[in-house]
């Protein structure tokens, strides 16, 4: 046994609100109903993101400014990253979000984290997104594959998430911290999950159960 490793979603998990949704709503490029529908288990987050941002006329500077001013991290995030580094706990983020908001977020918090985000480019009329790490897999299966990979390497895995597309990964993890729709789904389907409040709790859990 190598001890613990951690895999996390980003939007709504590391951040308190989904940054993509928040951006689209704030600048009027989507509405609540469309966003609500995107959380159906039948909708692929990556397809929704590509579609929703295709017409979002935003610049890199505007997005970076939005992140600096409006995006808040969940309590204990930075300390958890530092704890993982010090304790030799591999930590990675698997996200359907995009680098245009993730990069300024990590910069703001002064951390470097192994991560998988959509690659976004400002083009005429909007933002073009591609997901180089999703080859024949969808995002939900990709997240699960990251958990499976660490387990195969001998780690126990703690998973953090908040969305329906995190459910497969949660089902494979040894310990789950869930918020929002994922917590509800885990409860409905009998997957043990603790409510994700702060990352400090997860650090304590790992220290106690190392
Ligand atoms: Mg999320």
């Amino acid at each position: 046994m190598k001890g613990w490793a951690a895999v996390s979603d980003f939007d709504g998990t590391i951040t308190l609100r989904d940054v993509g949704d928040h951006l689209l709503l704030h600048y009027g490029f989507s509405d609540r109903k469309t966003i609500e529908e995107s959380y159906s288990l039948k909708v692929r987050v990556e397809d929704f993101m590509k579609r929703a941002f295709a017409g979002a006329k935003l610049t890199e500077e505007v997005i970076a400014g939005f992140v600096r001013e409006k995006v808040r991290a969940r309590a204990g995030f930075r300390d958890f990253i530092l704890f993982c580094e010090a304790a030799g706990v591999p930590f990675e983020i698997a996200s359907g979000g995009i680098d245009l908001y993730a990069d300024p977020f990590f910069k703001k918090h002064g951390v470097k984290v192994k991560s998988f985000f959509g690659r976004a480019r400002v083009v005429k009329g909007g933002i073009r997104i591609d997901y180089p790490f999703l080859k024949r897999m969808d995002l939900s299966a990709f997240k699960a594959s990251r958990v499976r990979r660490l387990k195969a390497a001998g780690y126990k895995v703690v998973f953090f998430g908040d969305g329906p597309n995190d459910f497969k990964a949660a089902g494979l993890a040894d310990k789950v911290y869930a918020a929002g729709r994922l917590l509800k789904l885990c409860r409905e389907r009998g997957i043990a999950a603790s409510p994700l409040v702060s990352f400090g709790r997860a650090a304590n859990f790992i220290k106690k159960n190392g």
Side-chain angles (χ1 to χ4, degrees):
M1 257 302 172
K2 286 183 182 169
W4 288 88
V7 178
S8 183
D9 169 53
F10 181 74
D11 284 272
T13 298
I14 288 172
T15 61
L16 290 179
R17 267 185 84 166
D18 187 292
V19 184
D21 295 351
H22 195 181
L23 263 173
L24 292 167
L25 282 172
H26 184 82
Y27 292 102
F29 294 113
S30 192
D31 55 74
R32 291 195 182 276
K33 183 168 172 282
T34 308
I35 285 172
E36 191 54 43
E37 284 163 2
S38 78
Y39 285 100
S40 157
L41 271 172
K42 290 176 206 122
V43 174
R44 290 184 175 198
V45 170
E46 58 274 35
D47 296 340
F48 167 75
M49 287 290 288
K50 284 180 187 176
R51 227 177 17 245
F53 275 92
K57 291 186 189 115
L58 297 164
T59 62
E60 292 182 24
E61 294 73 26
V62 166
I63 294 174
F66 182 88
V67 169
R68 280 192 302 269
E69 283 163 34
K70 300 225 186 302
V71 176
R72 291 173 54 210
R74 189 174 295 280
F77 167 67
R78 187 170 190 276
D79 286 345
F80 187 72
I81 297 303
L82 302 179
F83 161 76
C84 287
E85 282 171 10
V89 173
F91 179 90
E92 62 180 54
I93 297 168
S95 170
I98 55 178
D99 52 5
L100 287 185
Y101 59 72
D103 293 347
F105 177 87
F106 295 126
K107 200 170 168 197
K108 173 176 154 181
H109 293 280
V111 289
K112 284 204 164 72
V113 187
K114 176 173 181 176
S115 58
F116 301 90
F117 281 94
R119 203 167 50 190
R121 264 189 313 134
V122 175
V123 294
K124 198 163 173 276
I127 289 172
R128 182 176 299 156
I129 303 175
D130 67 300
Y131 292 93
F133 53 92
L134 300 179
K135 297 194 174 83
R136 262 149 283 141
M137 232 183 268
D138 68 14
L139 180 66
S140 167
F142 177 76
K143 290 181 175 188
S145 79
R146 299 310 298 177
V147 173
R148 199 179 292 114
R149 178 183 161 275
L150 286 161
K151 289 191 62 121
Y155 292 99
K156 287 175 284 184
V157 179
V158 54
F159 181 79
F160 303 91
D162 78 314
N165 78 94
D166 297 317
F167 185 66
K168 275 187 197 159
L172 294 175
D174 299 286
K175 174 75 185 172
V176 178
Y177 286 96
R181 294 174 178 87
L182 179 65
L183 184 60
K184 189 163 172 275
L185 206 52
C186 286
R187 287 186 171 157
E188 283 167 6
R189 307 219 179 161
I191 301 291
S194 300
L196 172 60
V197 179
S198 73
F199 281 93
R201 291 194 186 180
N204 289 336
F205 173 83
I206 290 173
K207 281 179 209 158
K208 276 193 204 125
N209 296 277

